[in-house]
């Protein structure tokens, strides 16, 4: 018996519960993604000022450490996906819960660790501080933004085929709501204790609580638990949409096709865009004389609209080709980028809210549903690991892109226009973004 199947019936047998265990997986996967919040940009941002103050480095230096740590983590996510394919969601999930708990403990003592290595008055202090932060951010971004998210989403996608989009939409609603309140929750935890104890409490919650949660509820494949996806048999095709792949692709085969890149690159550019403008949000809007309160208020309507679109997009993705949702995402990004470059108090402010909501809603759908539908489940970990590596790498470059645009040209608009050019090129090619399984259906049917 492979390790990924070992103890599948302990502490309970999933096939013995009175309903399809996949619905438990929906709950477990949603909790898994939510537990990645301390490793997401919004989670880290809550603690940034405390790190700057207590470590004694500048905002630019902490931002640089964050960028290099994030980029570094992207280089090994493909390997993490390979481990997922080999060992499964349960065992990889437990391992990464321990890693994330450990790095949160390190962050809670980061200033003390650095000062124990080198005195603060030393000429080498800043270099050691930045290097230490890079290492800690590397572990945090790898475990949080990368592996916990990948494992949880992949597990959910394996347990469903015909309802894959629907369950992803349901999960996305709760994830979006959870992430929207995470910064406030972290801030309240800091105010109620301290920044050190906030991280220590989260470390215990993840390293102990989430570790046990993963062991109890995570299961990698329905077949390993004597069940089948969706809890019922489905064919390869429903409503003229291929839902069960005819061929299982390797990573090498997947990325050799144009379709792979036509879906990966828009998602990566969106990640670059969102981290870029959010990192400099107040300054970006200040260019148009929009104050901080009105700048921050864009997130409320964007969250409400994107949650609705994520659920609707997930539900309809089971019934239509994903290419249509890609068209919608690209159109929303065009509107958002043009509006941000010309942001004002009136038309472009509201156009930006609408435009940003569309790719935000489609992001979770396309990021989760595309890869198992197009390339199968056998190598899903390695494929999604590579996808996450590209997205994480792109997200790390967003803040720098917007910063360079402002420092060299005196405006953030040039960054928006550069991303707009890339999106327009991808939009022109998007008509070629067909499901690669179409070819193998024709071969099997002899058409």
């Amino acid at each position: 018996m492979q390790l990924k199947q070992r103890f599948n019936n302990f502490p309970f047998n999933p096939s013995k519960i009175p309903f399809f265990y996949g619905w438990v997986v929906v709950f477990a996967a949603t909790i898994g993604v939510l537990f990645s919040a301390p490793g997401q940009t919004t989670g880290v941002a809550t603690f940034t000022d405390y790190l700057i103050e207590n470590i004694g480095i500048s905002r630019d230096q902490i931002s640089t450490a964050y960028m290099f740590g994030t980029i570094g983590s992207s280089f090994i996510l493909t390997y993490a996906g390979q481990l997922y394919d080999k060992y499964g969601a349960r065992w990889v999930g437990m391992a990464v819960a321990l890693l994330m708990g450990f790095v949160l403990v390190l962050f809670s003592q980061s200033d003390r660790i650095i000062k124990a290595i080198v005195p603060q008055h030393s000429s080498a202090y800043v270099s050691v501080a930045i290097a230490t932060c890079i290492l800690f951010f590397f572990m945090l971004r790898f475990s949080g933004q990368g592996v916990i998210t990948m494992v949880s989403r992949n597990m959910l996608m394996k347990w469903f085929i015909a309802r894959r989009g629907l369950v992803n939409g349901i999960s996305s609603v709760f994830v979006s709501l959870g992430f929207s309140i995470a910064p406030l929750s972290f801030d309240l935890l800091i105010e109620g204790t301290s920044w050190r104890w906030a991280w220590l409490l989260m470390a215990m919650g993840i390293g102990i609580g989430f570790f046990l949660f993963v062991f109890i509820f995570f299961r990698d494949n329905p077949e390993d638990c004597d069940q089948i996806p969706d809890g019922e048999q489905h064919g390869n095709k429903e409503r003229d949409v291929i839902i069960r792949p005819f061929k299982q692709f390797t990573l090498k085969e997947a990325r050799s096709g144009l379709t792979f890149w036509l879906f990966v690159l828009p998602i990566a550019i969106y990640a670059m865009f969102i981290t870029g403008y959010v990192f400099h949000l107040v300054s970006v809007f200040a260019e148009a004389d929009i104050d901080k309160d009105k700048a921050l208020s864009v997130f409320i309507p964007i969250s409400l609209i994107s949650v609705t679109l994520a659920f609707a997009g997930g539900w309809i993705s089971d019934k239509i080709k994903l290419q249509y949702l890609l068209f919608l995402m690209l159109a929303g990004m065009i509107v958002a980028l043009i509006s941000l470059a010309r942001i004002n108090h009136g038309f472009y402010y509201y156009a930006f809210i609408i435009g940003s909501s569309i790719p935000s809603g489609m992001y979770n759908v396309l990021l989760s549903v595309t890869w198992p539908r197009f390339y199968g489940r056998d190598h899903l970990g390695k494929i999604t690991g590579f996808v996450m590596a590209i997205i994480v790498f792109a997200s790390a470059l967003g803040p720098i892109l917007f910063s360079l645009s402002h420092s060299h040209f005196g405006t953030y608009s040039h960054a928006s226009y550069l991303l707009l050019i890339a999106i327009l090129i991808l939009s022109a090619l998007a008509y070629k973004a067909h499901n690669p399984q179409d070819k193998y259906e024709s071969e099997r049917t002899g058409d």
Side-chain angles (χ1 to χ4, degrees), residues 163-206:
R163 299 189 185 94
R164 188 174 276 152
L166 173 63
V167 297
N168 183 68
I170 294 171
S171 178
S172 295
V173 169
F174 292 100
V175 168
S176 297
L177 292 174
F179 279 179
S180 67
I181 65 172
L184 177 60
S185 301
F186 294 164
D187 188 60
L188 289 174
L189 187 58
I190 293 169
E191 292 295 326
T193 57
S194 68
W195 69 274
R196 292 188 197 279
W197 271 104
W199 259 328
L200 285 171
L201 290 172
M202 285 193 284
M204 289 185 283
I206 293 172

Side-chain angles (χ1 to χ4, degrees), residues 172-396:
S172 295
V173 169
F174 292 100
V175 168
S176 297
L177 292 174
F179 279 179
S180 67
I181 65 172
L184 177 60
S185 301
F186 294 164
D187 188 60
L188 289 174
L189 187 58
I190 293 169
E191 292 295 326
T193 57
S194 68
W195 69 274
R196 292 188 197 279
W197 271 104
W199 259 328
L200 285 171
L201 290 172
M202 285 193 284
M204 289 185 283
I206 293 172
I208 300 173
F210 183 59
F211 175 88
L212 294 174
F213 179 87
V214 171
F215 180 73
I216 293 170
F217 294 109
F218 274 37
R219 300 294 188 279
D220 193 56
N221 285 307
E223 292 86 353
D224 296 339
C225 302
D226 298 320
Q227 299 194 20
I228 58 175
D230 295 300
E232 57 185 282
Q233 191 66 46
H234 289 281
N236 293 84
K237 198 168 185 177
E238 289 194 359
R239 303 181 187 89
D240 200 37
V241 175
I242 294 174
I243 57 171
R244 185 189 293 272
F246 293 95
K247 172 182 168 60
Q248 300 290 328
F249 282 71
T250 64
L251 172 60
K252 183 178 180 180
E253 291 171 330
R255 66 188 182 191
S256 66
L258 179 62
T259 291
F260 180 85
W261 298 104
L262 289 176
F263 275 87
V264 169
L265 292 178
I267 295 172
I269 292 172
Y270 173 72
M272 189 184 300
F273 163 65
I274 193 75
T275 56
Y277 93 79
V278 168
F279 199 87
H280 302 285
L281 180 71
V282 175
S283 180
V284 169
F285 279 74
E287 274 192 6
D289 295 324
I290 297 174
D291 61 31
K292 178 181 177 181
D293 289 340
K294 190 169 183 179
L296 293 172
S297 68
V298 300
F299 292 114
I300 298 173
I302 287 175
S303 296
L304 293 174
I305 298 171
S306 65
V307 164
T308 304
L309 288 175
F311 178 78
W315 171 74
I316 202 171
S317 71
D318 293 327
K319 301 172 174 59
I320 66 171
K321 294 182 178 181
L322 296 181
Q323 184 183 30
Y324 301 137
L325 299 184
L326 177 63
F327 289 150
L328 182 60
M329 181 177 187
L330 289 166
M333 289 186 67
I334 290 171
V335 173
L337 288 164
I338 293 174
S339 301
L340 185 63
R342 304 171 65 86
I343 198 74
N344 58 24
H345 284 274
F347 172 79
Y348 286 110
Y349 178 83
Y350 297 102
F352 175 74
I353 290 173
I354 295 171
S356 298
S357 301
I358 295 171
S360 178
M362 294 302 101
Y363 176 86
N364 283 326
V365 179
L366 296 179
L367 181 58
S368 301
V369 177
T370 304
W371 322 117
R373 180 183 293 189
F374 283 10
Y375 305 110
R377 296 187 298 160
D378 287 2
H379 306 283
L380 184 61
K382 198 167 184 181
I383 291 171
T384 55
F386 182 72
V387 170
M388 287 301 299
I390 295 172
I391 292 170
V392 170
F393 185 90
S395 70

Side-chain angles (χ1 to χ4, degrees), residues 107-175:
F107 262 119
S108 73
Q109 307 300 315
S110 54
D111 58 323
R112 294 169 177 169
I113 292 172
I114 294 167
K115 290 168 185 174
I117 297 172
V118 59
Q120 190 167 4
H121 56 76
S122 169
S123 59
Y125 178 81
V126 171
S127 298
V128 171
I130 293 174
T132 304
C133 287
I134 289 174
L135 176 62
F136 290 178
F137 280 132
F138 165 81
M139 290 191 287
L140 183 63
R141 298 290 278 168
F142 171 75
S143 59
Q145 185 192 23
V147 183
I148 286 181
T149 305
M150 178 188 69
V151 166
S152 301
R153 283 180 170 148
N154 283 352
M155 178 179 68
L156 178 59
M157 295 299 98
K158 283 188 172 185
W159 276 82
F160 291 87
I161 293 178
R163 299 189 185 94
R164 188 174 276 152
L166 173 63
V167 297
N168 183 68
I170 294 171
S171 178
S172 295
V173 169
F174 292 100
V175 168

